[in-house]
Amino acid sequence: MPNATYTFPHNFLWGTATASHQVEGNNLYSDWWHWEQQPGKIKEGHTSGLACDWWGGRYLEDFDRMVAGSQNAHRLSVEWARIEPTPAFWDEDALDQYRQMLLALKARNIQPMVTLCHYCHPQWFLEMGGWQNPQSVAQFERYARKVVNTLGDLCDCWLTLNEPNAYVFQAYMDGNFPPGKKDMNAAFEVGTNLFRAHVSAYHAIHNLQPGAQVGWALYVLLLDPANPASWFDQQVTDQQHRLFNDAWPSGYVTGEYQTLLKAIPVPQAKGALDWVGLNYYQRQLVRFNPLQPTHLFGERFSHPQDEKSETNFISIHPQGLLRVIKWGAQLGLPMYITENGVEDSTDRIRPRFLAQHLRALWLACMQNYDVRGYFHWTLVDNFEWERGWTQRFGLYALDTATQTRTARPSAHMYAKICRENALSSAVVAEYAPEVLAQLFP
Ligand code: IFM
């Protein structure tokens, strides 16, 4: 048996990522809470309910689990709908609760990374037109200022937006996130306003906190042409990649936001980014299909050889992580893997998923790509948006009726990796022996 260790760079950040609506519970003033109450919106009629009961105080025990798992960083979000439940009314108690959470992380030597907006908004914001309303940009900046003014002494690493590209797609093309539209014009309008919102919040945060490190996290969907020899497949793949993945990073370089037919000037976007957050889950193939105009004539599907997650939601392609990092490196900025994980209630797949992806990540580090940390999605099973509780992404299983957490084997595996700052053949042999020869040839 091989005896080898893939060691990560000194000071590498190891953690998990969470989002407020998915873990806190009772997020009463949010668009998502309202959405969930409508029949047919969430699989099996699920609702977020108490979620993981962080708002009821269970974040403390979960932070202890992070410590037990040797994690030194955590990516969490704050909830706009709690902080500003009605326009311009700031709920200081809610802000204080976030303060307590950040203090609890600090007390455990866990470095926080805070997302300001992770898919979820105040219901009043949605009723005012959401991101279609041009005022949304100023409203978001005001909210960002309030949060950074109040919590800036406890955090200097901010994400303005989580996966704005996926949000636009889900909420304005597929219609399975609120406001549930299927309207390509609205989608580009919203994408542009989200881009402007990041830029204006970026500058506002730097004004208040000159040393802040401000980024965003993109859902990077790795796309390959179904038939590499087909000109049509290649064209639609390039087009989807350009609009879905590339619009945000290239906007930072050009000062323009790329929509379908034109580039919108946002001059202050040039340079308005300190680091790049990459959320990587899967790759898909794209085939030209003239019957799919709403998908830009590209039909997407899984590669037949890629392993599928439990409910077929994710088409697993670990080597893709290295490609995604190389793509992210074009900006010359530090990078973090801000999300990566798999839905797998029985932990049949997750240990090898972890081993394979971390081996790809290690290769990237060895090639001197500036990746500074990895945040696994997620610590404890949480509310998975339109899929409700039907998908289980946690290192810990959650019984929602009792709020009991049970460690899956991969929780122990990830703890060893974090503690050793390394992926060793011994860990892979213990938890994912089926990929030992592949990863330690
Ligand atoms: O749960 C989500 C998260 O909120 C955003 N990225 C993908 C995760 C898994 O579906």
Side-chain angles (χ1 to χ4, degrees):
M1 176 179 128
N3 180 7
T5 306
Y6 299 141
T7 301
F8 284 79
H10 186 57
N11 288 335
F12 199 74
L13 295 186
W14 290 105
T16 48
T18 55
S20 41
H21 186 74
Q22 294 177 270
V23 293
E24 288 176 355
N26 285 333
N27 188 14
L28 303 178
Y29 304 108
S30 67
D31 53 358
W32 264 94
W33 185 270
H34 284 250
W35 181 253
E36 288 163 34
Q37 314 310 316
Q38 299 170 36
K41 298 299 187 200
I42 313 293
K43 264 199 175 159
E44 298 185 16
H46 290 167
T47 55
S48 55
L50 267 190
C52 307
D53 196 24
W54 276 25
W55 209 247
R58 282 183 214 266
Y59 67 88
L60 285 170
E61 56 168 285
D62 284 341
F63 290 0
D64 287 341
R65 287 187 178 88
M66 294 170 196
V67 175
S70 295
Q71 297 173 29
N72 58 12
H74 182 61
R75 176 182 165 221
L76 71 166
S77 71
V78 291
E79 188 58 55
W80 189 357
R82 289 193 194 281
I83 293 173
E84 194 181 5
T86 53
F89 167 73
W90 303 110
D91 186 333
E92 298 296 337
D93 291 343
L95 280 160
D96 191 57
Q97 174 131 351
Y98 285 122
R99 195 168 184 79
Q100 298 312 317
M101 288 166 83
L102 293 179
L103 285 168
L105 285 174
K106 290 256 162 190
R108 289 164 178 75
N109 286 321
I110 297 177
Q111 190 172 315
M113 180 184 260
V114 174
T115 310
L116 294 171
C117 181
H118 190 123
Y119 282 174
C120 197
H121 312 90
Q123 175 64 14
W124 62 259
F125 176 82
L126 198 78
E127 285 167 6
M128 286 175 67
W131 293 105
Q132 272 185 278
N133 184 336
Q135 286 175 26
S136 56
V137 177
Q139 282 161 343
F140 182 69
E141 185 195 311
R142 208 177 34 131
Y143 157 68
R145 281 182 185 279
K146 179 69 184 176
V147 173
V148 173
N149 256 325
T150 316
L151 303 175
D153 56 328
L154 298 173
C155 176
D156 59 5
C157 186
W158 305 97
L159 285 103
T160 51
L161 299 164
N162 177 69
E163 298 176 357
N165 56 343
Y167 168 77
V168 168
F169 193 82
Q170 302 272 35
Y172 290 88
M173 302 273 283
D174 266 8
N176 53 20
F177 278 19
K181 294 196 177 176
K182 295 183 181 188
D183 174 345
M184 199 184 286
N185 288 333
F188 283 113
E189 198 181 352
V190 164
T192 309
N193 283 337
L194 281 164
F195 187 73
R196 290 190 177 118
H198 161 79
V199 171
S200 92
Y202 174 92
H203 292 293
I205 296 171
H206 272 281
N207 248 313
L208 295 168
Q209 199 183 28
Q213 293 296 302
V214 185
W216 37 241
L218 275 198
Y219 186 101
V220 188
L221 182 58
L222 194 60
L223 297 168
D224 281 326
N227 173 5
S230 154
W231 184 85
F232 288 103
D233 287 3
Q234 188 65 61
Q235 290 304 309
V236 287
T237 306
D238 289 350
Q239 181 75 325
Q240 291 202 0
H241 173 72
R242 186 175 73 93
L243 293 171
F244 191 79
N245 296 320
D246 240 358
W248 280 69
S250 65
Y252 156 86
V253 178
T254 58
E256 293 177 333
Y257 182 72
Q258 190 61 53
T259 68
L260 186 58
L261 299 174
K262 55 182 184 212
I264 316 273
V266 187
Q268 288 213 319
K270 274 194 188 178
L273 193 67
D274 302 319
W275 56 269
V276 177
L278 304 169
N279 293 359
Y280 176 65
Y281 287 89
Q282 61 176 322
R283 78 131 161 211
Q284 288 185 346
L285 300 182
V286 191
R287 181 192 293 135
F288 173 66
N289 182 344
L291 303 178
Q292 292 222 316
T294 54
H295 285 65
L296 308 171
F297 303 107
E299 176 190 350
R300 286 201 303 271
F301 57 97
S302 298
H303 193 295
Q305 274 155 23
D306 288 348
E307 186 180 12
K308 309 298 172 297
S309 61
E310 190 171 19
T311 69
N312 287 325
F313 183 65
I314 292 175
S315 190
I316 303 168
H317 187 62
Q319 310 90 294
L321 182 55
L322 181 56
R323 285 171 63 193
V324 163
I325 290 168
K326 288 183 180 177
W327 169 78
Q330 65 185 311
L331 296 184
L333 296 172
M335 290 174 277
Y336 293 93
I337 306 307
T338 33
E339 284 181 31
N340 172 243
V342 65
E343 43 107 10
D344 178 19
S345 65
T346 59
D347 221 37
R348 186 181 58 82
I349 302 168
R350 190 176 291 102
R352 69 171 163 271
F353 179 100
L354 259 175
Q356 291 171 312
H357 284 82
L358 292 180
R359 152 88 189 198
L361 177 59
W362 174 80
L363 273 176
C365 294
M366 289 309 102
Q367 292 175 24
N368 290 321
Y369 289 104
D370 189 4
V371 189
R372 306 220 174 148
Y374 173 87
F375 294 84
H376 190 75
W377 187 271
T378 182
L379 185 75
V380 176
D381 289 339
N382 64 10
F383 179 74
E384 280 293 335
W385 308 112
E386 83 288 4
R387 289 149 277 135
W389 296 95
T390 63
Q391 294 185 346
R392 302 289 171 147
F393 276 83
L395 295 170
Y396 286 81
L398 175 72
D399 178 339
T400 48
T402 61
Q403 284 293 327
T404 308
R405 280 91 162 130
T406 309
R408 296 192 166 105
S410 46
H412 302 299
M413 176 187 185
Y414 190 53
K416 287 187 183 173
I417 293 167
C418 297
R419 185 162 57 246
E420 292 165 8
N421 189 34
L423 179 72
S424 69
S425 51
V427 164
V428 176
E430 184 178 352
Y431 292 96
E434 69 280 16
V435 292
L436 182 66
Q438 177 201 342
L439 301 185
F440 292 88

